[in-house]
Every structure is written in structure tokens, then in C-alpha cells.
């Protein structure tokens, strides 16, 4: 099956101790982001999960952000070498996650510019009129029909994970063309019975 490989250099240094973001390698092509989230949720609260795909096919690796660096270290200790869908996964600190801990993520697919700046412009959309029960997972599932979603967030009171929804969110795609498609295809569609509106994120 190929896919994923063990990647360079062992288990990645936990010593810095600061990052809550993890690289997960050697995934089966059958492993979904939901599978990954369920596995890591056994360790602690999970803020973000992504299985990296190209043309709808898993690339054999993913990214997980735990709610704390302590949980991330526990995940490395307990899940590195664990079995998911018959593959022994690799879990280590995400070496690209040095860009500060704002609510967003460095645009992970943005390999040509590690700061997540230039090419992410125009690739984000603002989503309004969300039902308070809509989660970032719901948002991600709804918008993946328009393209490759690299980030989804529901805004909360005080910016705290698990806080009360403000009824709006942000979705970032891997390209501005996909963001444009999302605006055209998904504006005025419904999530959980509420009609949403979608526009370009003017603060991107």
C-alpha cells in the first residue's frame, strides 16, 4: 500500500515541551480524520484533526492538535507505535508548529511559505448565521464538498475552546479557487436547519 512511510528521524524531540500539535505518520489510506480524533480523544480533548489528502486520497499522514502540550506529550508516549486500521502509526511533535498559538493554524498545505501568509490570502471564507449547536467538525464536513478544507473554526465567546458559539465561523481551503467555489455553492445552504451565508473572510 505504500503511503506515509516512517518519515525522518525518530520520535522527534519532546524536550521543548511547548507544542500541543502532533504529526501522525504511517496511516492507512482507510483511516479518516474521525478515526484519528476518536483515537486521540482517549488521551484528552482534541482541538483539531486533519488527515492530509490530495485529490480526495489520503497521503498517509495527518495532524492533530491536543488542548494542551501535556496531553500532546501523553499522546506521543501512549500512541506512538499504536495500531490503527492495521498500521503501526508514528506520533511526534509537529516540527512546523512554531508560529505562536493563535486560534488559527499555519496553513499546513502551504509548504512553500512556512509562515502561512501569502498563498493563503483569499482562501478563507466567513460563515454566518450558524446554529449554536454547530461544531467545527460540522462546518468542516459541510464545506469539504467545495474543496480541501485545511482549517475550520466556530467562533466562541472569549475565544475559548468549548465556549458558547457566536453563531459564525471561519473555513480555510488549500486554494482561493476552492474558497470561491464554496461561496458560490454553499451560500444560502442549510446546516442543522439554519440557512447560512458564506463570503470571503475580509480579515484573512
Amino acid at each position: 500500500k505504500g503511503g506515509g512511510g516512517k518519515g525522518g528521524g525518530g520520535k522527534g524531540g519532546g524536550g521543548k515541551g511547548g507544542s500541543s500539535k502532533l504529526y501522525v505518520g504511517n496511516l492507512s489510506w482507510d483511516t479518516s480524520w474521525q478515526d484519528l480524533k476518536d483515537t486521540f480523544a482517549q488521551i484528552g480533548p482534541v482541538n483539531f484533526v486533519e488527515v492530509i489528502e490530495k485529490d480526495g486520497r489520503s497521503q498517509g499522514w495527518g495532524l492533530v492538535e491536543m488542548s494542551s502540550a501535556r496531553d500532546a506529550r501523553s499522546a506521543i508516549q501512549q500512541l506512538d507505535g499504536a495500531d490503527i486500521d492495521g498500521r503501526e502509526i508514528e506520533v511526534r511533535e509537529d516540527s512546523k508548529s512554531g508560529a505562536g498559538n493563535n486560534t488559527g493554524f499555519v496553513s499546513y498545505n502551504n509548504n512553500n511559505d512556512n509562515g502561512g501568509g501569502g498563498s493563503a490570502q483569499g482562501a478563507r471564507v466567513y460563515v454566518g448565521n450558524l446554529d449554536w449547536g454547530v461544531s467545527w467538525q460540522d462546518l468542516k464536513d459541510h464545506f469539504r464538498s467545495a474543496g480541501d478544507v485545511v482549517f475550520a473554526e466556530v467562533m466562541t465567546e472569549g475565544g475559548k475552546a468549548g465556549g458558547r458559539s457566536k453563531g459564525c465561523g471561519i473555513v480555510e481551503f488549500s486554494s482561493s479557487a476552492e474558497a470561491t467555489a464554496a461561496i458560490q455553492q454553499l451560500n444560502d445552504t442549510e446546516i442543522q436547519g439554519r440557512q447560512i451565508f458564506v463570503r470571503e473572510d475580509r480579515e484573512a
Side-chain angles (χ1 to χ4, degrees):
K1 264 194 180 180
K6 272 271 181 186
K11 294 189 183 178
K16 302 194 296 283
S19 179
S20 57
K21 296 178 188 172
L22 300 168
Y23 165 91
V24 187
N26 203 38
L27 294 175
S28 164
W29 287 341
D30 297 327
T31 300
S32 68
W33 67 268
Q34 290 100 329
D35 298 329
L36 215 50
K37 183 174 188 293
D38 289 346
T39 299
F40 280 79
Q42 297 169 25
I43 305 298
V46 176
N47 286 351
F48 175 79
V49 184
E50 175 77 10
V51 171
I52 305 304
E53 296 181 351
K54 186 174 182 181
D55 301 324
R57 185 186 179 98
S58 170
Q59 297 294 288
W61 64 282
L63 295 156
V64 175
E65 179 167 359
M66 305 299 290
S67 65
S68 70
R70 184 170 62 184
D71 284 345
R73 288 194 296 273
S74 296
I76 293 171
Q77 291 166 0
Q78 296 180 44
L79 296 177
D80 186 42
D83 184 288
I84 301 182
D85 293 330
R87 297 288 289 266
E88 190 177 291
I89 65 169
E90 175 192 2
V91 183
R92 57 179 165 79
E93 195 171 304
D94 175 32
S95 59
K96 293 209 291 187
S97 63
N101 200 15
N102 57 348
T103 53
F105 297 86
V106 177
S107 184
Y108 285 124
N109 290 354
N110 206 6
N111 296 330
N112 58 345
D113 118 48
N114 217 5
S119 64
Q121 294 297 317
R124 289 165 72 112
V125 297
Y126 172 91
V127 188
N129 202 38
L130 294 175
D131 183 270
W132 284 341
V134 172
S135 68
W136 66 265
Q137 293 101 324
D138 299 325
L139 215 50
K140 185 170 188 287
D141 286 345
H142 190 74
F143 278 81
R144 70 195 324 167
S145 65
D148 182 22
V149 177
V150 297
F151 171 71
E153 177 187 24
V154 172
M155 303 295 189
T156 56
E157 301 287 351
K160 295 192 289 287
R164 182 185 174 92
S165 169
K166 288 183 174 180
C168 60
I170 298 291
V171 177
E172 182 175 339
F173 292 91
S174 60
S175 73
S176 56
E178 290 170 334
T180 301
I183 293 169
Q184 293 170 347
Q185 296 171 24
L186 297 174
N187 186 41
D188 292 335
T189 57
E190 288 189 359
I191 302 180
Q192 294 186 8
R194 287 205 38 183
Q195 191 176 73
I196 62 171
F197 66 85
V198 185
R199 61 167 168 78
E200 186 176 341
D201 177 32
R202 290 167 195 146
E203 295 179 20

